[in-house]
Amino acid sequence: MSTAPTPEPPRPSPALIFDDPLDQPSSDDTDRGWGERPAASGDSAADLARFLDEKPPHHI
């Protein structure tokens, strides 16, 4: 004999937030993540890798 599993309690619905979204800074409001790279040690291989990563696709 198998017993029926106990039903899970219903999940509460997400609360509506009526705050002004412009009061909160977005991820674009900071300089974090814009062109940041690890500090280069003057290694030519690292310079080449950076050049190859940043070159436009039409420059082959």
Side-chain angles (χ1 to χ4, degrees):
M1 281 172 81
S2 64
T3 59
T6 57
E8 294 182 20
R11 294 182 182 174
S13 61
L16 296 176
I17 300 172
F18 293 102
D19 292 341
D20 185 7
L22 299 177
D23 286 343
Q24 301 171 1
S26 70
S27 60
D28 289 342
D29 291 336
T30 64
D31 290 336
R32 187 175 185 203
W34 287 92
E36 293 178 359
R37 293 204 172 254
S41 61
D43 186 16
S44 62
D47 291 338
L48 177 62
R50 180 177 178 184
F51 169 75
L52 294 174
D53 286 344
E54 294 181 355
K55 72 176 180 164
H58 60 275
H59 290 172
I60 294 178

